[in-house]
Amino acid sequence: MLKKLLFPLVAVFMLASCATPPTTIDVSPTISLPQQDPSLMGVTVSINGADQRKDQALAKVTRDNQLVTLTPSRDLRFLLQEVLEKQMTARGYMIGPNSPVDLQIIVNQLYADVSQGSVRYNIATKADIVIIATAKNGNKMTKNYRSSYNVEGAFQATNKNIANAVNSVLTDTIADMAQDTSVHDFIKQNAR
């Protein structure tokens, strides 16, 4: 009887020890929203996103002598499009087609450079996001938002450590977008 119980139990533990950690990074930044502008009266903007990174990886890490590629848990293009829609709605804009100003949010760079030795790791994260505002009258504006974040820790960098670094740099970038009024000013000047 004991053998019948012990063998499956040992097998389960052996399989569990062989399990590899997931290769996705949970991307869930904190979204900062700007103040509402009461002077906006029914101004509509259209928003779309693009991911122009050369590599879809968020990080590449060596684990058990193998290079592991870590990818985001959700499509960054749609994540940032959603962030910009929430920020523009908070300002007082309506989102829809056939608008006087089209906004495109582009991810140029979002990457966590992970270096690790036997006792310490370092994660250097960079974000480069661009908003291009194009008015129907032909005027155009490009605004860059860049941020970086570094963190060190003991032993090996886990997926959670990398996710925290990525979310931190994205949260900073999103906060910069919320505080900056240049795109908002451009829309107000060109939405007539």
Side-chain angles (χ1 to χ4, degrees):
M1 177 72 178
L2 189 61
K3 283 184 182 178
K4 285 183 179 179
L5 285 173
L6 197 57
F7 181 73
L9 200 57
V10 169
V12 166
F13 282 119
M14 288 177 67
L15 286 173
S17 67
C18 296
T20 58
T23 58
T24 56
I25 297 294
D26 180 32
V27 180
S28 53
T30 303
I31 299 174
S32 303
L33 298 176
Q35 296 290 322
Q36 184 171 10
D37 183 345
S39 72
L40 291 174
M41 299 295 268
V43 177
T44 301
V45 293
S46 71
I47 298 174
N48 69 59
D51 187 349
Q52 295 186 344
R53 296 175 303 143
K54 291 177 179 60
D55 189 346
Q56 297 307 301
L58 275 184
K60 293 186 179 177
V61 190
T62 303
R63 291 187 177 145
D64 299 325
N65 295 323
Q66 299 230 345
L67 188 64
V68 178
T69 301
L70 303 174
T71 54
S73 59
R74 55 184 297 199
D75 191 322
L76 295 177
R77 165 181 54 149
F78 293 123
L79 170 70
L80 286 163
Q81 182 177 331
E82 181 184 311
V83 165
L84 187 57
E85 285 175 1
K86 285 181 178 178
Q87 289 183 340
M88 298 313 276
T89 302
R91 282 199 199 277
Y93 292 100
M94 293 186 295
I95 311 299
N98 303 321
S99 61
V101 179
D102 298 324
L103 300 179
Q104 183 177 35
I105 186 162
I106 301 169
V107 185
N108 283 330
Q109 181 181 20
L110 181 61
Y111 190 75
D113 187 13
V114 181
S115 57
Q116 45 193 11
S118 54
V119 291
R120 295 202 64 70
Y121 67 83
N122 183 58
I123 304 171
T125 314
K126 288 185 179 173
D128 180 358
I129 294 168
V130 177
I131 296 177
I132 300 173
T134 309
K136 295 288 188 253
N137 63 15
N139 291 339
K140 192 172 186 176
M141 178 195 153
T142 302
K143 180 67 183 176
N144 285 71
Y145 299 94
R146 293 184 180 104
S147 190
S148 60
Y149 176 79
N150 283 12
V151 64
E152 289 185 353
F155 306 113
Q156 302 289 305
T158 64
N159 284 9
K160 181 131 180 70
N161 299 136
I162 298 167
N164 289 344
V166 167
N167 286 321
S168 181
V169 78
L170 256 183
T171 296
D172 290 349
T173 307
I174 291 166
D176 289 347
M177 289 166 46
Q179 292 167 4
D180 181 46
T181 60
S182 58
V183 173
H184 173 58
D185 295 338
F186 175 85
I187 295 168
K188 282 175 64 173
Q189 291 165 7
N190 291 278
R192 297 183 187 100

